[in-house]
């Protein structure tokens, strides 16, 4: 028809159409994973606020001090997650040597005059302005990425079906270096997490089971040797002694665990109410905003509130397992498996020590406990999981 022509090109999609398209990043994100992590951080902000608002010696007279800082840490963590997704786990794969080198330098810096001691562990670097850095938290990420890079290189290239013994030995050597430095601090809790990460990575890589059983045997032998040779600090020995016999010194080494169980037990089914816990307001539980934050949930939110935290952590692990299973590359599977091992063990250890079924190891509850380094690291891990999911092929 005269005066009428049809463009040969399809009309450009609107911004909303691009955002909601099947191949868009927004549509491909794992929203249950993201929502659960955000919910945990939000609940954590309330628990941290409740645990600290009446402690003038910590807050400098500002009851919102820790609430603001926890929210700020969460915001920075989410920004790091977005940046990780934008870069992509495959891009970070090429930067692993640099990231690994930086993480080793940072943990080594802790052993210099730059390092500071907190709760018996010489594991922090004081930055200034009330801020500090715990390099071992980021070392967990670089161990996962570094081992995944080595173990998956020839498998993803199609040269091997499984990592050979030489490759596994190199990957273990890569993990051993920062673990040995962290052990010198000494930060036994972080070393325990790293050891579990190494086992999780090896299992996911398809390496020979002889390596797994060999490491379990070596770990058991090493733990016995460390104990017999007296290489543990006094406070670490005291923690294990209190775990083995909580009645040993209820006013001393067993105080934390006993007060934690009293706080959780007093919450009952629905809790005493937020800001109304007698153990929390009375400041009977030490380090309640960090290592023992779960006691605030048990006392003030009760079994239901504490159970909700466990359910949300379970959803994070479930979605991470699904991402690990559905990715088509071994590198992505190994990275996801390392994160799963990290989150699962650290959550179990933190909650377990408040219930008295695990020794006190000074590990924060992921997303919930107060602490910038821990919060930044777990959100980077969420970014890696989301990147693995976003970059997988779209099936018909």
């Amino acid at each position: 028809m005269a005066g009428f022509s049809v463009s040969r090109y399809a009309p450009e999609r609107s911004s909303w159409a691009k955002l909601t398209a099947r191949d868009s990043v927004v549509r491909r994100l794992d929203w249950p994973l993201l929502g659960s992590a955000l919910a945990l951080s939000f609940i954590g902000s309330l628990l941290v606020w409740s645990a600290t608002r009446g402690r003038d010696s910590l807050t400098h007279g500002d009851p919102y001090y820790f609430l603001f800082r926890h929210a700020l840490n969460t915001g920075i963590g989410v920004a790091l997650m977005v940046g990780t997704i934008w870069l992509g786990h495959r891009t970070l794969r090429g930067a692993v040597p640099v990231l690994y080198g930086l993480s080793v330098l940072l943990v080594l810096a802790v052993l210099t005059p730059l390092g500071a001691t907190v709760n018996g562990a010489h594991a922090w670097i004081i930055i200034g302005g009330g801020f500090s850095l715990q390099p071992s938290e980021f070392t967990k990420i670089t161990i996962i990425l570094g081992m995944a890079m080595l173990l998956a290189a020839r498998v993803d290239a199609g040269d091997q079906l499984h990592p050979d013994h030489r490759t596994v030995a190199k990957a273990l050597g890569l993990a051993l270096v920062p673990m040995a430095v962290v052990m010198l601090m000494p930060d036994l809790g972080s070393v325990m997490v790293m050891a579990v990460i190494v086992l999780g990575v090896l299992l996911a890589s398809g390496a020979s089971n002889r390596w797994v059983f060999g490491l379990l045997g070596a770990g058991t032998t090493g733990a016995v040797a460390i104990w017999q040779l007296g290489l543990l600090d006094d406070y670490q020995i005291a923690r294990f002694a209190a775990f083995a016999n909580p009645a040993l010194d209820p006013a001393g080494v067993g105080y934390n665990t006993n007060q934690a169980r009293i706080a959780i037990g007093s919450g009952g089914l629905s809790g005493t109410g937020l800001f109304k816990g007698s153990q929390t307001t009375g400041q009977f539980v030490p380090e309640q905003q960090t290592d023992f934050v779960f006691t605030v949930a048990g006392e003030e939110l009760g079994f239901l509130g504490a159970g909700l935290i466990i359910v949300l952590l379970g959803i994070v692990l479930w979605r991470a397992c699904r991402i690990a299973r559905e990715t088509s590359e071994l590198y992505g599977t190994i990275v996801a498996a390392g994160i799963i091992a990290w989150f699962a063990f650290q959550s179990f250890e933190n909650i377990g020590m408040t219930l008295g079924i695990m020794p006190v190891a000074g590990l924060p509850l992921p997303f919930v406990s107060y602490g910038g380094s821990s919060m930044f690291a777990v959100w980077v891990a969420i970014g890696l999981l989301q990147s693995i999911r976003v970059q997988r092929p779209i099936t018909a």
Side-chain angles (χ1 to χ4, degrees):
M1 183 182 298
F4 178 81
S5 64
V6 178
S7 173
R8 294 178 298 169
Y9 303 99
E12 184 178 351
R13 291 187 296 180
S14 65
S15 298
W16 175 253
K18 292 179 181 178
L19 194 66
T20 58
R22 187 165 177 261
D23 60 346
S24 70
V25 172
V26 173
R27 283 283 297 274
R28 304 190 74 187
L29 287 176
D30 192 313
W31 287 100
L33 172 64
L34 179 58
S36 298
L38 287 171
L40 285 167
S41 292
F42 175 74
I43 294 172
S45 66
L46 295 178
L47 300 181
V48 167
W49 186 21
S50 178
T52 59
R53 66 194 187 97
R55 302 193 178 191
D56 292 342
S57 60
L58 294 176
T59 63
H60 311 289
D62 180 5
Y64 300 99
Y65 179 80
F66 278 91
L67 174 64
F68 171 77
R69 290 168 72 94
H70 188 83
L72 177 62
N73 289 337
T74 301
I76 295 173
V78 172
L80 289 172
M81 177 201 69
V82 173
T84 303
I85 297 172
W86 179 74
L87 287 173
H89 67 289
R90 292 171 184 161
T91 300
L92 290 174
R93 184 177 188 170
V96 164
V98 175
L99 296 175
Y100 176 80
L102 287 174
S103 69
V104 172
L105 287 176
L106 283 174
V107 292
L108 284 172
V110 174
L111 302 179
T112 71
L114 294 174
T117 301
V118 178
N119 295 329
H122 194 76
W124 277 261
I125 296 175
I126 302 301
I127 299 175
F131 293 94
S132 59
L133 182 71
Q134 189 177 7
S136 58
E137 291 293 338
F138 303 101
T139 304
K140 298 170 187 175
I141 297 173
T142 55
I143 286 177
I144 293 172
L145 292 175
M147 292 188 71
M149 180 191 69
L150 290 175
L151 293 170
R154 299 186 66 181
V155 176
D156 284 339
D159 298 333
Q160 295 177 343
L161 291 177
H162 305 288
D164 56 29
H165 294 302
R166 184 177 180 181
T167 302
V168 174
K170 288 181 179 179
L172 291 177
L174 178 144
L176 182 61
V177 172
M179 288 176 66
V181 178
V182 173
M183 190 66 192
L184 291 174
M185 293 178 182
D187 186 357
L188 185 58
S190 292
V191 172
M192 290 167 59
V193 176
M194 292 174 190
V196 172
I197 287 173
V198 169
L199 286 175
V201 164
L202 287 182
L203 287 170
S205 71
S208 172
N209 287 334
R210 284 181 290 178
W211 283 103
V212 177
F213 291 120
L215 285 175
L216 290 173
T220 302
T221 303
V224 173
I226 289 171
W227 182 271
Q228 293 295 328
L229 294 173
L231 298 179
L232 294 177
D233 282 358
D234 291 340
Y235 82 95
Q236 293 173 322
I237 296 174
R239 284 177 173 180
F240 280 103
F243 166 67
N245 183 11
L248 179 65
D249 186 7
V253 295
Y255 178 81
N256 287 16
T257 302
N258 288 329
Q259 293 299 323
R261 287 192 290 184
I262 291 172
I264 292 174
S266 65
L269 179 63
S270 57
T272 60
L274 195 62
F275 311 131
K276 297 179 181 179
S278 58
Q279 289 290 110
T280 300
T281 56
Q283 304 177 17
F284 290 103
V285 184
E287 307 301 328
Q288 205 170 14
Q289 75 276 16
T290 54
D291 300 346
F292 287 88
V293 71
F294 190 75
T295 62
V296 186
E299 180 180 26
E300 299 187 347
L301 304 181
F303 176 80
L304 296 177
L308 175 61
I309 291 176
I310 295 175
V311 168
L312 290 171
L313 287 168
I315 294 174
V316 170
L317 294 174
W318 163 52
R319 301 306 297 183
C321 287
R322 183 167 180 173
I323 289 171
R325 186 178 67 249
E326 293 179 351
T327 183
S328 59
E329 57 181 4
L330 181 61
Y331 175 72
T333 298
I334 293 176
V335 170
I339 294 171
I340 292 165
W342 165 16
F343 285 5
F345 177 77
Q346 190 160 315
S347 298
F348 179 78
E349 163 61 31
N350 178 277
I351 295 174
M353 73 182 188
T354 65
L355 298 175
I357 62 174
M358 291 293 286
V360 176
L363 292 174
L365 185 59
F367 304 101
V368 182
S369 292
Y370 174 78
S373 298
S374 173
M375 186 68 77
F376 302 158
V378 294
W379 276 106
V380 168
I382 293 295
L384 288 170
L385 291 172
Q386 295 285 13
S387 173
I388 294 168
R389 175 179 169 85
V390 165
Q391 295 188 21
R392 69 179 183 176
I394 300 177
T395 57

